[in-house]
Amino acid sequence: FSSSSVSMRLLYHQHHHHHHHHAFSSFFSFSFFFFHHLLLLQLLLSSHLQVANADLQSESEALLRFFHNLQSPSPWTAKSLNWTNTTSACNWVGVQCSTSTDGVGQKTVVSVALPGRGLMGSIPSQSFGLLPSLQTLSLRSNRLSGAVPADLLNCSKLKKLALHRNAFTGQIPAFSTPSLTVIDLSFNNFHGSIPPSFSNLTRLKSLFLQNNSFSGSIPPLSTSLSQLNVSFNSLSGSIPPSLRAFS
């Protein structure tokens, strides 16, 4: 063999070996990259689900805070509400959940409706005020009393608040949540003025405040109102121009 053919073979062999080595290292790098990112994705998903579960867990604890604050006049009241810390709040009587749009299958409480269940007691702070996705709160026609906690103002997605026909007292929180469309606080023992912040409720369709002890004047309210009742209070002053249609 000539020296040139030997060197050619050697070069070919070295190049061929280098090519195999390069392909193997590329494959190894890609595999490592792929599995590394797959592992990261799994970790992210699992941590996100843990956060999601933790969120629903904290909402359940908030609801139980209200539940345990109730005075049960008869055994059926508590038993008819299957609210226990061993089941998901989404399966409780009167509670509705929805899957949030910003999470991986994250469940969140959007409605609590317990009308006419003979409930006695008050609403503690750190209960409904800790439900960030709450859209409907209906506790009408019970025997609930005490003040409505100010932290209910934290429910920035609240659309319907129905607390009528109870024995609530004190001043009502200064709601200014733009999403509110229905407020019914009639037939209670609320006093003080109607909060000026009600002027900011631009989507408000129905406002029922009759049969309380409200005093002072009526603030300018949204022109979107189609139902308004403030009778049987101690209100004074003139009717705001925006409400002349109701006079």
Side-chain angles (χ1 to χ4, degrees), residues 66 70 119-122 139 142-146 166-168 188:
F66 165 71
L70 293 172
L119 305 179
M120 291 176 69
S122 60
L139 301 172
N142 282 291
R143 287 184 276 173
L144 296 167
S145 56
N166 279 285
F168 288 115
N188 279 288

Side-chain angles (χ1 to χ4, degrees), residues 91-126:
N91 299 326
W92 295 350
V93 168
V95 178
Q96 278 190 335
C97 290
S98 178
T99 305
S100 66
T101 51
D102 54 353
V104 182
Q106 184 174 340
K107 292 278 191 181
T108 182
V109 176
V110 293
S111 173
V112 179
L114 298 168
R117 288 191 166 266
L119 305 179
M120 291 176 69
S122 60
I123 302 175
S125 57
Q126 305 282 297

Side-chain angles (χ1 to χ4, degrees), residues 199 217-221 228 236-247:
S199 301
S217 58
I218 304 170
L221 296 170
L228 172 68
S236 58
S238 59
I239 295 170
S242 61
L243 301 178
R244 293 278 157 82
F246 290 96
S247 60

Side-chain angles (χ1 to χ4, degrees), residues 15-36:
H15 175 74
H16 196 64
H17 178 74
H18 177 73
H19 180 73
H20 270 293
H21 178 74
H22 182 70
F24 178 76
S25 63
S26 297
F27 175 75
F28 181 77
S29 300
F30 174 76
S31 300
F32 180 76
F33 175 84
F34 179 76
F35 287 115
H36 174 71

Side-chain angles (χ1 to χ4, degrees), residues 30-212:
F30 174 76
S31 300
F32 180 76
F33 175 84
F34 179 76
F35 287 115
H36 174 71
H37 279 67
L38 193 66
L39 186 65
L40 267 180
L41 186 66
Q42 281 181 324
L43 284 170
L44 279 169
L45 281 172
S46 65
S47 67
H48 196 95
L49 286 171
Q50 281 172 356
V51 168
N53 290 335
D55 286 348
L56 185 59
Q57 180 63 32
S58 67
E59 290 182 21
S60 302
E61 287 166 8
L63 286 169
L64 286 173
R65 202 165 287 125
F66 165 71
F67 180 71
H68 293 313
N69 205 54
L70 293 172
Q71 302 154 11
S72 186
S74 55
W76 67 266
T77 304
K79 281 182 182 171
S80 66
L81 301 183
N82 57 343
W83 291 25
T84 65
N85 56 10
T86 56
T87 55
S88 168
C90 301
N91 299 326
W92 295 350
V93 168
V95 178
Q96 278 190 335
C97 290
S98 178
T99 305
S100 66
T101 51
D102 54 353
V104 182
Q106 184 174 340
K107 292 278 191 181
T108 182
V109 176
V110 293
S111 173
V112 179
L114 298 168
R117 288 191 166 266
L119 305 179
M120 291 176 69
S122 60
I123 302 175
S125 57
Q126 305 282 297
S127 56
F128 300 118
L130 295 182
L131 306 178
S133 304
L134 191 66
Q135 296 175 21
T136 299
L137 178 59
S138 175
L139 301 172
R140 65 176 172 81
S141 306
N142 282 291
R143 287 184 276 173
L144 296 167
S145 56
V148 174
D151 67 357
L152 205 56
L153 298 174
N154 296 336
C155 302
S156 59
K157 296 181 180 175
L158 196 62
K159 292 179 181 177
K160 179 182 178 182
L161 179 65
L163 302 179
H164 49 296
R165 296 187 182 277
N166 279 285
F168 288 115
T169 55
Q171 300 191 12
I172 55 177
F175 289 102
S176 58
T177 308
S179 55
L180 271 164
T181 57
V182 178
I183 296 177
D184 194 341
L185 306 176
S186 60
F187 296 92
N188 279 288
N189 299 316
F190 289 116
H191 67 263
S193 59
I194 299 171
S197 65
F198 274 32
S199 301
N200 300 328
L201 304 176
T202 52
R203 294 181 195 167
L204 197 62
K205 296 276 190 288
S206 305
L207 178 61
F208 301 107
L209 302 176
Q210 72 269 26
N211 296 80
N212 280 285

